[in-house]
Coordinates of all heavy atoms in Angstrom, one line a residue:
V1 N 51.7 -44.0 -28.5 CA 52.5 -43.1 -27.7 C 54.0 -43.4 -27.7 O 54.8 -42.6 -27.9 CB 51.9 -43.0 -26.3 CG1 52.9 -42.2 -25.4 CG2 50.5 -42.3 -26.3
A2 N 54.2 -44.8 -27.6 CA 55.6 -45.2 -27.6 C 56.3 -44.9 -28.9 O 57.4 -44.5 -29.0 CB 55.7 -46.7 -27.3
D3 N 55.5 -45.1 -30.0 CA 56.0 -44.9 -31.3 C 56.3 -43.4 -31.6 O 57.3 -43.0 -32.1 CB 55.0 -45.4 -32.4 CG 55.4 -45.3 -33.8 OD1 56.3 -46.0 -34.3 OD2 54.9 -44.4 -34.5
A4 N 55.4 -42.6 -31.1 CA 55.5 -41.1 -31.3 C 56.8 -40.7 -30.5 O 57.5 -39.8 -31.0 CB 54.3 -40.4 -30.8
F5 N 56.9 -41.1 -29.3 CA 58.1 -40.7 -28.5 C 59.4 -41.0 -29.2 O 60.3 -40.2 -29.2 CB 58.0 -41.3 -27.1 CG 59.1 -40.8 -26.2 CD1 59.0 -39.6 -25.4 CD2 60.3 -41.6 -26.1 CE1 60.0 -39.2 -24.6 CE2 61.3 -41.1 -25.2 CZ 61.2 -40.0 -24.5
D6 N 59.5 -42.2 -29.7 CA 60.7 -42.6 -30.3 C 61.0 -41.9 -31.6 O 62.1 -41.5 -32.0 CB 60.8 -44.2 -30.6 CG 62.0 -44.6 -31.1 OD1 63.0 -44.7 -30.3 OD2 62.2 -44.9 -32.3
A7 N 59.9 -41.7 -32.4 CA 60.0 -40.9 -33.6 C 60.5 -39.5 -33.4 O 61.4 -39.0 -34.1 CB 58.7 -40.9 -34.3
I8 N 60.0 -38.8 -32.3 CA 60.3 -37.4 -32.1 C 61.8 -37.4 -31.6 O 62.5 -36.4 -31.9 CB 59.4 -36.9 -31.0 CG1 58.0 -36.8 -31.6 CG2 59.8 -35.5 -30.6 CD1 56.9 -36.4 -30.6
T9 N 62.2 -38.3 -30.8 CA 63.6 -38.2 -30.2 C 64.6 -38.9 -31.1 O 65.8 -39.0 -30.7 CB 63.6 -38.9 -28.8 OG1 63.1 -40.3 -29.0 CG2 62.7 -38.2 -27.8
S10 N 64.2 -39.4 -32.3 CA 65.2 -40.0 -33.2 C 65.5 -39.0 -34.4 O 64.5 -38.3 -34.8 CB 64.7 -41.3 -33.8 OG 64.5 -42.2 -32.7
P11 N 66.7 -38.9 -34.8 CA 67.0 -38.1 -36.0 C 66.4 -38.7 -37.3 O 66.2 -39.9 -37.4 CB 68.5 -38.1 -36.1 CG 68.9 -39.5 -35.5 CD 67.9 -39.7 -34.4
R12 N 66.0 -37.8 -38.2 CA 65.5 -38.2 -39.4 C 66.3 -37.5 -40.5 O 67.0 -36.5 -40.3 CB 64.0 -37.8 -39.6 CG 63.1 -38.6 -38.7 CD 63.0 -40.0 -39.1 NE 62.1 -40.8 -38.4 CZ 62.4 -41.6 -37.3 NH1 63.7 -41.6 -37.0 NH2 61.5 -42.3 -36.7
A13 N 66.1 -37.9 -41.7 CA 66.9 -37.3 -42.8 C 66.6 -35.8 -43.0 O 67.4 -35.1 -43.5 CB 66.7 -38.1 -44.2
Y14 N 65.4 -35.5 -42.6 CA 64.9 -34.1 -42.8 C 64.9 -33.2 -41.6 O 64.5 -32.1 -41.7 CB 63.5 -34.1 -43.4 CG 62.5 -34.9 -42.6 CD1 61.8 -34.4 -41.6 CD2 62.3 -36.3 -42.9 CE1 60.9 -35.1 -40.8 CE2 61.4 -37.1 -42.1 CZ 60.7 -36.4 -41.1 OH 59.8 -37.2 -40.3
R15 N 65.3 -33.8 -40.4 CA 65.4 -33.0 -39.2 C 66.3 -33.6 -38.2 O 66.5 -34.8 -38.2 CB 64.0 -32.8 -38.6 CG 63.3 -34.1 -38.1 CD 62.2 -33.8 -37.2 NE 61.5 -35.0 -36.9 CZ 61.9 -35.9 -36.0 NH1 63.0 -35.8 -35.3 NH2 61.1 -37.0 -35.7
E16 N 66.7 -32.8 -37.2 CA 67.4 -33.3 -36.1 C 66.5 -33.9 -35.0 O 65.3 -33.7 -35.0 CB 68.2 -32.1 -35.4 CG 69.3 -31.5 -36.3 CD 70.4 -32.5 -36.6 OE1 70.7 -33.3 -35.7 OE2 71.0 -32.4 -37.7
A17 N 67.1 -34.7 -34.2 CA 66.3 -35.3 -33.1 C 65.9 -34.3 -32.1 O 66.7 -33.4 -31.8 CB 67.1 -36.5 -32.5
R18 N 64.7 -34.5 -31.5 CA 64.3 -33.6 -30.4 C 64.8 -34.2 -29.1 O 64.9 -35.4 -29.0 CB 62.8 -33.4 -30.4 CG 62.2 -32.9 -31.7 CD 62.5 -31.5 -32.0 NE 61.8 -31.0 -33.2 CZ 60.6 -30.6 -33.3 NH1 59.8 -30.6 -32.2 NH2 60.0 -30.2 -34.4
S19 N 64.8 -33.4 -28.0 CA 65.2 -34.0 -26.7 C 64.0 -34.8 -26.1 O 62.9 -34.5 -26.5 CB 65.6 -32.9 -25.8 OG 64.5 -32.1 -25.4
P20 N 64.3 -35.7 -25.2 CA 63.2 -36.4 -24.5 C 62.2 -35.4 -23.9 O 61.0 -35.6 -23.9 CB 63.9 -37.2 -23.5 CG 65.2 -37.5 -24.0 CD 65.6 -36.2 -24.7
Q21 N 62.7 -34.3 -23.3 CA 61.8 -33.3 -22.7 C 60.9 -32.6 -23.7 O 59.7 -32.4 -23.5 CB 62.6 -32.3 -21.9 CG 61.8 -31.3 -21.1 CD 60.9 -32.1 -20.1 OE1 61.4 -33.1 -19.4 NE2 59.6 -31.7 -19.9
Q22 N 61.5 -32.3 -24.9 CA 60.7 -31.7 -25.9 C 59.6 -32.7 -26.4 O 58.5 -32.3 -26.7 CB 61.6 -31.3 -27.1 CG 62.5 -30.1 -26.8 CD 63.5 -29.8 -28.0 OE1 64.1 -30.7 -28.5 NE2 63.6 -28.5 -28.3
A23 N 60.0 -33.9 -26.5 CA 59.1 -35.0 -26.9 C 57.9 -35.1 -26.0 O 56.7 -35.2 -26.4 CB 59.7 -36.3 -27.1
L24 N 58.2 -35.0 -24.7 CA 57.2 -35.1 -23.6 C 56.2 -33.9 -23.8 O 55.0 -34.1 -23.6 CB 57.8 -35.2 -22.3 CG 58.5 -36.5 -21.9 CD1 59.1 -36.4 -20.6 CD2 57.6 -37.7 -22.0
E25 N 56.8 -32.8 -24.0 CA 55.9 -31.6 -24.2 C 55.0 -31.6 -25.4 O 53.8 -31.3 -25.3 CB 56.8 -30.3 -24.3 CG 57.5 -30.0 -22.9 CD 56.5 -29.7 -21.8 OE1 55.4 -29.2 -22.0 OE2 56.9 -30.2 -20.7
I26 N 55.6 -32.1 -26.5 CA 54.7 -32.3 -27.7 C 53.6 -33.3 -27.5 O 52.4 -33.1 -27.9 CB 55.6 -32.8 -28.9 CG1 56.6 -31.6 -29.3 CG2 54.8 -33.2 -30.1 CD1 57.7 -32.1 -30.3

């Protein structure tokens, strides 16, 4: 869960970072 939250809220070469709230919803 911790790994997923950080991955979602961090930028990647192929996408922008999501907000913490978006990560929580996912």
Side-chain angles (χ1 to χ4, degrees):
V1 169
D3 182 73
F5 182 85
D6 187 74
I8 295 170
T9 56
S10 298
R12 291 291 184 265
Y14 53 88
R15 64 161 172 81
E16 296 293 328
R18 308 284 184 89
S19 70
Q21 189 57 42
Q22 288 175 314
L24 291 178
E25 290 302 321
I26 292 172

